[in-house]
Amino acid sequence: MAKVLLYTTGTCPYCSRALRLLTRKGATYEEIRIDEDPRQREDMIARSGRETVPQIFIDEDHVGGYDDLVELDMAGELEPRLQQ
C-alpha cells in the first residue's frame, strides 16, 4: 500500500472531502494539521510550492490539492497509485 500524506486544516471543506475520498478507496494516510502546528505550514510550502490546503502526496509524489486528487480518480489512476 502506498504512503499517503495530507497537509490539512480543521476548517477546510476540501480537506474533508479528500479524506473521505481516500477513506472510501481504503487508503491509509497520515494527516498533518497545519492549523495545529504552524511550523508544518512552512514544510508544506517548501515541499509543494503551494500555500493552500489540502496538499496531498502519494509515496513522496506531489499529487496537488483535492481537485487534482479527483482528476486522478476520474482518470482511473488513483487506485493503482494507492496499491503500489
Side-chain angles (χ1 to χ4, degrees), residues 7 32-46:
Y7 290 92
I32 298 176
R33 294 269 309 265
I34 65 169
D35 55 339
E36 293 177 351
D37 185 356
R39 290 174 292 156
Q40 293 290 344
R41 180 178 176 79
E42 294 173 20
D43 291 340
M44 177 194 77
I45 293 169

Side-chain angles (χ1 to χ4, degrees), residues 16-52:
S16 298
R17 291 176 188 161
L19 294 169
R20 280 195 303 269
L21 175 57
L22 290 167
T23 298
R24 277 197 319 269
K25 297 294 181 181
T28 57
Y29 51 82
E30 177 184 356
E31 179 183 8
I32 298 176
R33 294 269 309 265
I34 65 169
D35 55 339
E36 293 177 351
D37 185 356
R39 290 174 292 156
Q40 293 290 344
R41 180 178 176 79
E42 294 173 20
D43 291 340
M44 177 194 77
I45 293 169
R47 289 185 71 194
S48 69
R50 297 183 183 179
E51 297 184 9
T52 59

